[in-house]
Amino acid sequence: MCRSSKVLGYDLLSLCLEGPQGRTGCRATPRGPQRPSARGRWLTLGLGCVSVQVVESCVAAAGYSVGEFAALVFAGALDFAEALYAVKVRAEAMQKASEAVPSGMLSVIGRREANYKFACLEARKHCESLGIENPVCEIANYLFPDSRVIAGHLQALKFLQDNARKYYFTRAKMLPVSGAFHTRLMEPAVEPLAEVLKSIEIQKPLVCVYSNVDGKKYMHSKHIQKLLVKQVVSPVMWEQTMHSVYERKQGTEFPYTYEVGPGKQLGTILKKCNLKAWKQYKHVDVLEDEEATET
């Protein structure tokens, strides 16, 4: 049994190679937790791809949501097995929290006139009119200009879909996830993850790693511990992170960018955020590499 399987308590290799796809979340970069088994797979596959790259000249790393753990392992801040166990605890706690309240996530693309926060406010007022106490409807992911993921009570998300034109949304599509991840509905998952991270030795990253919480570089081990916990209930500031990573003086060349693991969604987002940086982008998928080798 491989090291990952011992930590997770199931045969990760068989799960990756044989599926079923519904359980592994096989071909999509995770924009929110699917099943607890999928999150461990993202961490392992992402690092499996990284291990074949030339990393000596790497200047920065970032990971989307659970991918941030992979970025920190890559940067030497977290031990692989300890990070994998933390991901397992995080996944199970978030899944449990999601089962407590009927909730979800809505992918939205809006026109320039769109006011996402105002739309969320009105959706919360709608929920209150239905008798829902302390309703949640807020931005959970900042993806690229004019694109957000809004998460919260299902009634709020349905209200936004039904009134998409009023709020200048050109698209409002429910995501196939089971909860309102990266919102305060995930508060029950905070303590379990915090306790695990207290027991883990965290080092200062060897390369710059950018946090999902504020789009800025991690400064030290306590900073990492604090923000990994905060990330569970905070929006993923991915658009802001892309601007921070690629900020440079005019005329300076952009570095090569590698997206590792299944799916090319982050590359698509980068293209929307910074076309010049995207021109140096490459996707690496360990499963595709294996398939090519076998054929």
Side-chain angles (χ1 to χ4, degrees):
M1 183 178 288
C2 69
R3 189 181 183 190
S4 301
S5 300
K6 290 180 180 179
V7 173
L8 296 172
Y10 53 81
D11 191 342
L12 182 64
L13 180 60
S14 295
L15 188 60
C16 291
L17 297 178
E18 300 170 9
Q21 182 170 334
R23 187 177 177 193
T24 60
C26 187
R27 290 290 175 183
T29 299
R31 294 190 177 178
Q34 297 286 324
R35 293 173 182 259
S37 60
R39 268 84 82 201
R41 179 178 182 273
W42 294 126
L43 176 63
T44 305
L45 283 183
L47 291 167
C49 296
V50 168
S51 66
V52 300
Q53 300 303 319
V54 178
V55 297
E56 287 82 359
S57 59
C58 181
V59 294
Y64 189 99
S65 190
V66 70
E68 195 163 1
F69 284 83
L72 288 165
V73 172
F74 164 73
L78 295 176
D79 172 75
F80 170 71
E82 291 182 331
L84 193 59
Y85 179 68
V87 166
K88 178 177 183 287
V89 171
R90 175 185 182 273
E92 292 171 347
M94 292 176 77
Q95 185 64 31
K96 185 176 180 180
S98 71
E99 291 167 357
V101 179
S103 55
M105 304 183 83
L106 183 72
S107 176
V108 174
I109 295 179
R111 291 161 54 184
R112 290 190 176 182
E113 305 94 319
N115 186 328
Y116 302 97
K117 291 185 178 179
F118 176 71
C120 290
L121 174 62
E122 294 216 320
R124 291 195 297 272
K125 289 181 178 179
H126 169 72
C127 287
E128 289 173 349
S129 73
L130 299 177
I132 300 173
E133 296 183 2
N134 300 316
V136 173
C137 183
E138 56 197 59
I139 299 172
N141 305 154
Y142 290 81
L143 300 179
F144 53 85
D146 303 320
S147 179
R148 306 285 185 268
V149 174
I150 296 173
H153 282 80
L154 289 178
Q155 297 89 334
L157 303 183
K158 185 178 187 306
F159 173 83
L160 293 179
Q161 280 188 302
D162 293 342
N163 294 276
R165 182 173 295 183
K166 175 183 176 181
Y167 299 115
Y168 301 102
F169 297 163
T170 58
R171 189 189 77 174
K173 182 180 179 182
M174 290 296 296
L175 296 178
V177 298
S178 58
F181 305 109
H182 299 289
T183 72
R184 58 186 175 88
L185 286 178
M186 292 294 108
E187 286 179 357
V190 167
E191 188 60 29
L193 178 60
E195 287 300 313
V196 170
L197 291 176
K198 287 178 184 177
S199 67
I200 290 177
E201 185 177 359
I202 303 175
Q203 307 290 340
K204 183 177 179 179
L206 299 176
V207 298
C208 295
V209 178
Y210 289 78
S211 168
N212 284 183
V213 172
D214 57 12
K216 298 178 181 179
K217 300 174 186 176
Y218 279 118
M219 303 305 295
H220 47 74
S221 59
K222 289 293 184 182
H223 194 212
I224 294 171
Q225 182 181 2
K226 178 182 177 180
L227 292 191
L228 281 181
V229 173
K230 190 175 181 180
Q231 188 224 64
V232 172
V233 291
S234 302
V236 175
M237 311 290 277
W238 194 254
E239 179 184 348
Q240 295 84 341
T241 299
M242 293 297 94
H243 292 316
S244 295
V245 169
Y246 295 103
E247 183 180 14
R248 60 202 62 245
K249 294 180 181 178
Q250 188 173 1
T252 305
E253 290 187 0
F254 286 96
Y256 289 103
T257 298
Y258 294 93
E259 177 180 0
V260 296
K264 301 179 181 179
Q265 285 87 344
L266 299 183
T268 301
I269 293 173
L270 175 59
K271 186 176 182 180
K272 298 282 188 179
C273 291
N274 192 321
L275 181 61
K276 290 183 178 179
W278 174 80
K279 290 179 179 179
Q280 300 282 59
Y281 161 88
K282 182 179 179 182
H283 173 248
V284 182
D285 187 339
V286 67
L287 295 182
E288 290 178 358
D289 290 345
E290 287 177 354
E291 290 167 3
T293 301
E294 290 173 0
T295 56

